[in-house]
Amino acid sequence: MTSIDLNADLGEGFGRWQLTDDERLLSVVTSANVACGFHAGDAATMRRVCEQAAERGVRIGAQVSYRDLAGFGRRAMDVPPAELAAEVAYQIGALEVFARAAGTRVSYVKPHGALYNRVVHDEEQAGAVVDGVLLADATLPVLGLPGSRLLDLAAKAGLPAVTEAFADRAYTERGTLVPRGQDGAMVTDPEAVVERSVGLARAGVVTSHSGARVEVRARSLCLHGDTPGAVELARRVRARLEESGVRVEAFV
C-alpha cells in the first residue's frame, strides 16, 4: 500500500499572538514542524506543542530558520556559514529540551521560509544547515525539496534525506516552488488542494504553474497551518488520501 506522511508548521505564535490552531491540527497530521523561536515560537509555545504532540503520537520536527522574527523568516538573509550552523544546532537543542520533557524527542529537521528556499540551490547555506544538524544530532533526518542541494549534502553526510511536497503551493516546470510574491504562488481552492494531494501521494506528479505535469516524488506532504480553514482542509486531505488507498503515517 502507498503511504505518505502529513506534516504541518505548528507553534508559530509568540507571546499573546497565535497563528496556528495547533491542537486541532495535531489530531490530523503525523508530523509537526515546530517553530524554534527564530521566525516564530517561544519557550512556552514550544513546550505546549511538544506536550500535545507527544500525547497524540505525532512526531516532532525542528523547524529551523534565519533569525527573523519581524519578517516571519521569509526575508532573504546572508548569514556566515559558521554562524548559521551554530544557530541551526541551537534551535534543535532548544526544542529537544521540551520534546524530552514531554517523553519524546526531536525526530527530524526542516528549514523554514527563506532558508528552505535558499538551500534548494545554495551550496554554502545548505552545507551550513547540514553542519548544524550534525552538531546537534548526527542521526536526524532532514526534510526538504526533492533535488535540493540540502538533501544532496545531507545524504553525503550520512543523514537520512526525506523528500517533501506541497499540495497548496504552485510549482515551476523545474519542480521548484513559485516564490510567494508571485501571483498564483498559493493554491487556494480546497478541492484542488485535495486532488493535488492524492496525485502527489499516488502518482508522484503535480501540475505546474504553466500547466505542465511535473514529477515530484515525496515521502511527506506539507499542509500549511497558517492558511484560512487549515484544519478543515487538512481533514479533507487526510480523508481523501485514505479513501484513495493511501496509508497516512509518519516517515520516522
Side-chain angles (χ1 to χ4, degrees):
M1 179 183 289
T2 300
S3 67
I4 199 162
D5 170 63
L6 291 182
N7 77 75
D9 301 343
L10 301 179
E12 292 185 325
F14 194 82
R16 296 177 62 186
W17 176 61
Q18 185 172 332
L19 179 63
T20 49
D21 190 342
D22 300 325
E23 189 166 9
R24 291 204 296 164
L25 280 167
L26 284 167
S27 69
V28 182
V29 300
T30 47
S31 297
N33 318 315
V34 183
C36 299
F38 272 38
H39 76 279
D42 55 30
T45 301
M46 292 161 68
R47 181 179 184 182
R48 172 175 50 79
V49 175
C50 284
E51 290 173 347
Q52 293 173 346
E55 288 172 1
R56 293 163 177 77
V58 175
R59 301 297 186 267
I60 294 170
Q63 191 175 32
V64 299
S65 71
Y66 288 125
R67 188 189 293 270
D68 181 28
L69 273 176
F72 197 62
R74 288 180 176 162
R75 298 186 293 190
M77 303 182 75
D78 289 312
V79 180
E83 182 178 338
L84 180 57
E87 292 190 338
V88 166
Y90 179 94
Q91 292 174 77
I92 297 169
L95 188 64
E96 179 72 2
V97 168
F98 299 117
R100 288 192 178 275
T104 183
R105 58 162 299 184
V106 171
S107 296
Y108 64 95
V109 178
K110 174 185 171 178
H112 164 81
L115 182 58
Y116 187 97
N117 292 318
R118 181 76 171 267
V119 297
V120 170
H121 58 81
D122 190 308
E123 183 99 7
E124 186 176 68
Q125 296 283 279
V129 172
V130 170
D131 287 345
V133 176
L134 291 170
L135 182 61
D137 184 340
T139 68
L140 286 175
V142 176
L143 189 60
L145 208 66
S148 65
R149 298 305 301 140
L150 174 66
L151 293 191
D152 183 49
L153 293 176
K156 288 178 179 177
L159 297 170
V162 183
T163 52
E164 176 183 40
F166 296 81
D168 59 358
R169 291 292 307 276
Y171 279 82
T172 70
E173 291 185 11
R174 295 184 300 170
T176 58
L177 301 178
V178 174
R180 279 181 175 267
Q182 293 186 20
D183 290 340
M186 300 299 298
V187 179
T188 56
D189 176 44
E191 186 59 26
V193 173
V194 172
E195 290 301 323
R196 286 161 68 91
S197 299
V198 174
L200 285 162
R202 290 188 58 84
V205 296
V206 68
T207 302
S208 74
H209 192 45
S210 63
R213 282 170 61 87
V214 179
E215 183 174 306
V216 181
R217 299 287 177 180
R219 180 65 188 86
S220 185
L221 183 65
C222 180
L223 305 172
H224 282 101
D226 60 347
T227 56
V231 175
E232 182 56 34
L233 180 57
R235 287 174 176 159
R236 286 182 60 183
V237 166
R238 178 158 187 165
R240 188 72 65 82
L241 286 169
E242 292 174 339
E243 290 168 3
S244 302
V246 178
R247 183 172 60 245
V248 178
E249 62 182 1
F251 64 83
V252 287

